[in-house]
Amino acid sequence: QVHLVESGGGLVQAGGSLRLSCAASGRTFSSYAMAWFRQAPGKEREFVAAISWSPGITKYADSVKGRFTISRDNAKNTVYLQMNSLKPEDTAVYNCAAGYSLGGRPNEYNYWGQGTQVTVSS
């Protein structure tokens, strides 16, 4: 069992930066692939980024490549999402998720946090 709590969201102007954190409980955090998804009002949940259990493999949605960076610190049971050059279309609730495969679909992840709101003003 893994319990996930996101933080770091907020209101930022276009072009600005935010760093999201996802703190995990449970001794087996390092065994899971971790991912960030987002959901804007009226839209489906969208994959953002994922990182393997051993922080060597990452994958990103095309819409965030070159702007967002996912990382993890297994000693701190935390995964991060550094978001730079933010755009209004990045506005969404961001959720972190834990699973056993480095996938891009929500149903590939077993555990979810409650989410943190990111709002980018133009």
Side-chain angles (χ1 to χ4, degrees):
Q1 187 77 15
V2 176
H3 181 61
L4 304 173
V5 179
E6 302 94 336
S7 62
L11 173 64
V12 64
Q13 288 189 330
S17 298
L18 282 175
R19 188 176 82 154
L20 305 183
S21 299
C22 175
S25 64
R27 293 178 295 174
T28 59
F29 170 77
S30 60
S31 300
Y32 292 94
M34 299 296 297
W36 288 95
F37 287 79
R38 67 186 182 186
Q39 188 167 20
K43 294 188 176 181
E44 292 187 353
R45 183 168 283 173
E46 175 188 27
F47 170 75
V48 176
I51 187 166
S52 61
W53 67 271
S54 176
I57 302 174
T58 57
K59 62 187 295 184
Y60 296 92
D62 288 343
S63 58
V64 307
K65 275 181 184 176
R67 300 188 299 123
F68 291 11
T69 302
I70 189 170
S71 61
R72 67 189 293 165
D73 185 337
N74 287 340
K76 295 183 178 180
N77 281 10
T78 303
V79 63
Y80 305 97
L81 185 68
Q82 177 66 44
M83 306 186 295
N84 299 327
S85 303
L86 282 161
K87 305 175 181 180
E89 52 263 44
D90 294 318
T91 295
V93 174
Y94 284 70
N95 296 88
C96 68
Y100 294 106
S101 63
L102 195 66
R105 297 188 300 270
N107 62 8
E108 295 179 279
Y109 292 87
N110 306 82
Y111 304 103
W112 291 82
Q114 291 189 325
T116 185
Q117 176 71 46
V118 171
T119 303
V120 184
S121 63
S122 56

